[in-house]
Amino acid sequence: TFGGAICTPKDTSKQVSISKDSFTLNNAENGGAIYIGFSGTTTDTIGYCNFTNNTANESGGAIYILGNNINVGNCIFDGNNNKGNWEYGPTFTVGENSKLIITDTVFKNNSAEGYGGAIYTTGNYNCVEITDSQFIGNSTAASGGAICSSKKTTYNVDYGLKVKNVAFTGNTSDKSGGAVYLLTDVSGLF
């Protein structure tokens, strides 16, 4: 199943805009609360929302995005979880050819059995830019207590992980990277 609360159809040209909503105790295989897949050339937005205690059995406890551009601002992600032993993050899973821009957002007490306690990027040619945000008390049984960025993204400033004015506090990992873990062939700009 995709998107416990919202699932966008593939190949749609419609823009997704979600504002001032709460998503609590939603569950799905992928995208516990929201699944946004292949929406084309639009930039989707999520603002002033709370995501609390959502779960995914495979990937993206709160949100799963694939092949999209999405802006997230002024949101709180608290207690989201990836229940299965998959390698994907509990809050966001960012798939191939995606761009995720996060501003003024708090990620706290999220957990995963796999990689990336709050955010996990996978696939080629994705970009995650995070500014003016906080990661507090996120954890993983694998690597990247707050963020795990993986797969080849090429050494190009347009791809990879970009972090500016972000606080990491009390994030833990059972393996490597208590706050951030960068897997091979990933360009990270800090």
Side-chain angles (χ1 to χ4, degrees), residues 32-54:
I34 299 173
Y35 178 92
I36 301 174
F38 300 110
S39 66
T41 59
T42 64
T43 298
D44 302 321
T45 59
I46 299 174
Y48 299 95
C49 293
N50 293 323
F51 293 83
T52 308
N53 297 325
N54 298 288

mmCIF file of all heavy atoms in Angstrom, residues 32-54:
data_model
loop_
_atom_site.group_PDB
_atom_site.id
_atom_site.type_symbol
_atom_site.label_atom_id
_atom_site.label_comp_id
_atom_site.label_asym_id
_atom_site.label_seq_id
_atom_site.Cartn_x
_atom_site.Cartn_y
_atom_site.Cartn_z
ATOM 1 N N GLY A 32 4.058 6.256 5.231
ATOM 2 C CA GLY A 32 3.072 6.058 6.292
ATOM 3 C C GLY A 32 1.943 7.064 6.265
ATOM 4 O O GLY A 32 0.781 6.712 6.438
ATOM 5 N N ALA A 33 2.250 8.325 6.013
ATOM 6 C CA ALA A 33 1.223 9.360 5.903
ATOM 7 C C ALA A 33 1.001 9.768 4.454
ATOM 8 O O ALA A 33 -0.129 9.834 3.988
ATOM 9 C CB ALA A 33 1.591 10.579 6.741
ATOM 10 N N ILE A 34 2.100 10.038 3.713
ATOM 11 C CA ILE A 34 1.978 10.567 2.349
ATOM 12 C C ILE A 34 2.953 9.849 1.414
ATOM 13 O O ILE A 34 4.123 9.655 1.752
ATOM 14 C CB ILE A 34 2.281 12.084 2.320
ATOM 15 C CG1 ILE A 34 1.282 12.846 3.191
ATOM 16 C CG2 ILE A 34 2.262 12.611 0.889
ATOM 17 C CD1 ILE A 34 1.619 14.327 3.345
ATOM 18 N N TYR A 35 2.457 9.514 0.237
ATOM 19 C CA TYR A 35 3.299 8.979 -0.826
ATOM 20 C C TYR A 35 3.108 9.873 -2.048
ATOM 21 O O TYR A 35 1.987 10.056 -2.527
ATOM 22 C CB TYR A 35 2.905 7.541 -1.177
ATOM 23 C CG TYR A 35 3.714 6.945 -2.303
ATOM 24 C CD1 TYR A 35 4.868 6.223 -2.033
ATOM 25 C CD2 TYR A 35 3.327 7.094 -3.626
ATOM 26 C CE1 TYR A 35 5.623 5.667 -3.061
ATOM 27 C CE2 TYR A 35 4.076 6.546 -4.661
ATOM 28 C CZ TYR A 35 5.222 5.826 -4.365
ATOM 29 O OH TYR A 35 5.966 5.283 -5.369
ATOM 30 N N ILE A 36 4.199 10.450 -2.531
ATOM 31 C CA ILE A 36 4.145 11.288 -3.727
ATOM 32 C C ILE A 36 5.084 10.669 -4.751
ATOM 33 O O ILE A 36 6.292 10.664 -4.562
ATOM 34 C CB ILE A 36 4.551 12.745 -3.429
ATOM 35 C CG1 ILE A 36 3.634 13.364 -2.375
ATOM 36 C CG2 ILE A 36 4.531 13.572 -4.706
ATOM 37 C CD1 ILE A 36 4.041 14.741 -1.925
ATOM 38 N N GLY A 37 4.515 10.136 -5.827
ATOM 39 C CA GLY A 37 5.320 9.434 -6.800
ATOM 40 C C GLY A 37 5.188 9.970 -8.200
ATOM 41 O O GLY A 37 4.082 10.093 -8.705
ATOM 42 N N PHE A 38 6.304 10.312 -8.809
ATOM 43 C CA PHE A 38 6.381 10.698 -10.216
ATOM 44 C C PHE A 38 5.357 11.758 -10.602
ATOM 45 O O PHE A 38 4.556 11.562 -11.499
ATOM 46 C CB PHE A 38 6.201 9.475 -11.118
ATOM 47 C CG PHE A 38 7.236 8.428 -10.909
ATOM 48 C CD1 PHE A 38 6.911 7.228 -10.315
ATOM 49 C CD2 PHE A 38 8.541 8.650 -11.294
ATOM 50 C CE1 PHE A 38 7.880 6.253 -10.120
ATOM 51 C CE2 PHE A 38 9.518 7.681 -11.102
ATOM 52 C CZ PHE A 38 9.169 6.480 -10.511
ATOM 53 N N SER A 39 5.381 12.892 -9.931
ATOM 54 C CA SER A 39 4.394 13.922 -10.264
ATOM 55 C C SER A 39 4.843 14.823 -11.411
ATOM 56 O O SER A 39 4.190 15.796 -11.726
ATOM 57 C CB SER A 39 4.051 14.771 -9.039
ATOM 58 O OG SER A 39 5.169 15.515 -8.640
ATOM 59 N N GLY A 40 5.932 14.478 -12.023
ATOM 60 C CA GLY A 40 6.352 15.234 -13.209
ATOM 61 C C GLY A 40 7.181 16.451 -12.881
ATOM 62 O O GLY A 40 8.047 16.423 -12.026
ATOM 63 N N THR A 41 6.891 17.557 -13.542
ATOM 64 C CA THR A 41 7.737 18.738 -13.450
ATOM 65 C C THR A 41 7.263 19.745 -12.410
ATOM 66 O O THR A 41 7.862 20.806 -12.281
ATOM 67 C CB THR A 41 7.804 19.442 -14.815
ATOM 68 O OG1 THR A 41 6.473 19.799 -15.208
ATOM 69 C CG2 THR A 41 8.426 18.543 -15.871
ATOM 70 N N THR A 42 6.212 19.452 -11.688
ATOM 71 C CA THR A 42 5.720 20.401 -10.686
ATOM 72 C C THR A 42 6.584 20.359 -9.432
ATOM 73 O O THR A 42 7.321 19.409 -9.199
ATOM 74 C CB THR A 42 4.263 20.095 -10.292
ATOM 75 O OG1 THR A 42 4.223 18.807 -9.669
ATOM 76 C CG2 THR A 42 3.350 20.121 -11.494
ATOM 77 N N THR A 43 6.494 21.409 -8.628
ATOM 78 C CA THR A 43 7.123 21.419 -7.305
ATOM 79 C C THR A 43 6.012 21.392 -6.276
ATOM 80 O O THR A 43 5.187 22.300 -6.204
ATOM 81 C CB THR A 43 8.002 22.675 -7.126
ATOM 82 O OG1 THR A 43 9.052 22.641 -8.097
ATOM 83 C CG2 THR A 43 8.612 22.703 -5.731
ATOM 84 N N ASP A 44 5.970 20.321 -5.497
ATOM 85 C CA ASP A 44 4.944 20.146 -4.481
ATOM 86 C C ASP A 44 5.379 20.841 -3.197
ATOM 87 O O ASP A 44 6.578 21.015 -2.941
ATOM 88 C CB ASP A 44 4.707 18.654 -4.231
ATOM 89 C CG ASP A 44 4.296 17.922 -5.502
ATOM 90 O OD1 ASP A 44 3.534 18.502 -6.281
ATOM 91 O OD2 ASP A 44 4.757 16.790 -5.699
ATOM 92 N N THR A 45 4.406 21.250 -2.361
ATOM 93 C CA THR A 45 4.732 21.943 -1.118
ATOM 94 C C THR A 45 3.970 21.345 0.060
ATOM 95 O O THR A 45 2.808 20.952 -0.070
ATOM 96 C CB THR A 45 4.401 23.455 -1.197
ATOM 97 O OG1 THR A 45 3.008 23.613 -1.467
ATOM 98 C CG2 THR A 45 5.199 24.138 -2.283
ATOM 99 N N ILE A 46 4.668 21.297 1.186
ATOM 100 C CA ILE A 46 4.071 20.896 2.460
ATOM 101 C C ILE A 46 4.527 21.922 3.483
ATOM 102 O O ILE A 46 5.727 22.115 3.681
ATOM 103 C CB ILE A 46 4.508 19.486 2.888
ATOM 104 C CG1 ILE A 46 4.068 18.450 1.834
ATOM 105 C CG2 ILE A 46 3.952 19.142 4.259
ATOM 106 C CD1 ILE A 46 4.587 17.060 2.094
ATOM 107 N N GLY A 47 3.576 22.606 4.125
ATOM 108 C CA GLY A 47 3.937 23.655 5.066
ATOM 109 C C GLY A 47 3.058 23.688 6.296
ATOM 110 O O GLY A 47 1.866 23.399 6.229
ATOM 111 N N TYR A 48 3.674 24.024 7.423
ATOM 112 C CA TYR A 48 2.972 24.199 8.694
ATOM 113 C C TYR A 48 2.162 22.960 9.061
ATOM 114 O O TYR A 48 1.012 23.061 9.487
ATOM 115 C CB TYR A 48 2.076 25.447 8.656
ATOM 116 C CG TYR A 48 2.850 26.718 8.424
ATOM 117 C CD1 TYR A 48 2.994 27.234 7.145
ATOM 118 C CD2 TYR A 48 3.467 27.376 9.482
ATOM 119 C CE1 TYR A 48 3.723 28.391 6.917
ATOM 120 C CE2 TYR A 48 4.204 28.531 9.269
ATOM 121 C CZ TYR A 48 4.324 29.033 7.982
ATOM 122 O OH TYR A 48 5.069 30.171 7.776
ATOM 123 N N CYS A 49 2.766 21.784 8.890
ATOM 124 C CA CYS A 49 2.090 20.522 9.192
ATOM 125 C C CYS A 49 2.802 19.787 10.319
ATOM 126 O O CYS A 49 3.996 19.975 10.546
ATOM 127 C CB CYS A 49 2.044 19.629 7.955
ATOM 128 S SG CYS A 49 1.004 20.256 6.636
ATOM 129 N N ASN A 50 2.054 18.937 11.020
ATOM 130 C CA ASN A 50 2.600 18.058 12.053
ATOM 131 C C ASN A 50 2.421 16.612 11.619
ATOM 132 O O ASN A 50 1.324 16.216 11.210
ATOM 133 C CB ASN A 50 1.885 18.279 13.386
ATOM 134 C CG ASN A 50 2.167 19.641 13.961
ATOM 135 O OD1 ASN A 50 3.275 20.151 13.849
ATOM 136 N ND2 ASN A 50 1.171 20.241 14.566
ATOM 137 N N PHE A 51 3.506 15.843 11.720
ATOM 138 C CA PHE A 51 3.488 14.421 11.411
ATOM 139 C C PHE A 51 3.902 13.679 12.685
ATOM 140 O O PHE A 51 5.050 13.777 13.108
ATOM 141 C CB PHE A 51 4.456 14.104 10.276
ATOM 142 C CG PHE A 51 4.050 14.700 8.961
ATOM 143 C CD1 PHE A 51 4.359 16.016 8.650
ATOM 144 C CD2 PHE A 51 3.354 13.948 8.033
ATOM 145 C CE1 PHE A 51 3.983 16.571 7.435
ATOM 146 C CE2 PHE A 51 2.973 14.488 6.811
ATOM 147 C CZ PHE A 51 3.283 15.804 6.517
ATOM 148 N N THR A 52 2.965 12.944 13.288
ATOM 149 C CA THR A 52 3.214 12.331 14.587
ATOM 150 C C THR A 52 2.864 10.845 14.580
ATOM 151 O O THR A 52 1.744 10.468 14.203
ATOM 152 C CB THR A 52 2.384 13.033 15.681
ATOM 153 O OG1 THR A 52 2.620 14.437 15.612
ATOM 154 C CG2 THR A 52 2.759 12.535 17.065
ATOM 155 N N ASN A 53 3.820 10.013 14.969
ATOM 156 C CA ASN A 53 3.621 8.571 15.154
ATOM 157 C C ASN A 53 3.062 7.865 13.925
ATOM 158 O O ASN A 53 2.225 6.967 14.034
ATOM 159 C CB ASN A 53 2.730 8.307 16.373
ATOM 160 C CG ASN A 53 3.364 8.796 17.653
ATOM 161 O OD1 ASN A 53 4.577 8.731 17.819
ATOM 162 N ND2 ASN A 53 2.554 9.312 18.550
ATOM 163 N N ASN A 54 3.529 8.245 12.750
ATOM 164 C CA ASN A 54 3.171 7.532 11.529
ATOM 165 C C ASN A 54 4.182 6.409 11.313
ATOM 166 O O ASN A 54 5.336 6.510 11.739
ATOM 167 C CB ASN A 54 3.190 8.490 10.332
ATOM 168 C CG ASN A 54 2.171 9.594 10.500
ATOM 169 O OD1 ASN A 54 0.981 9.361 10.387
ATOM 170 N ND2 ASN A 54 2.639 10.803 10.797
#
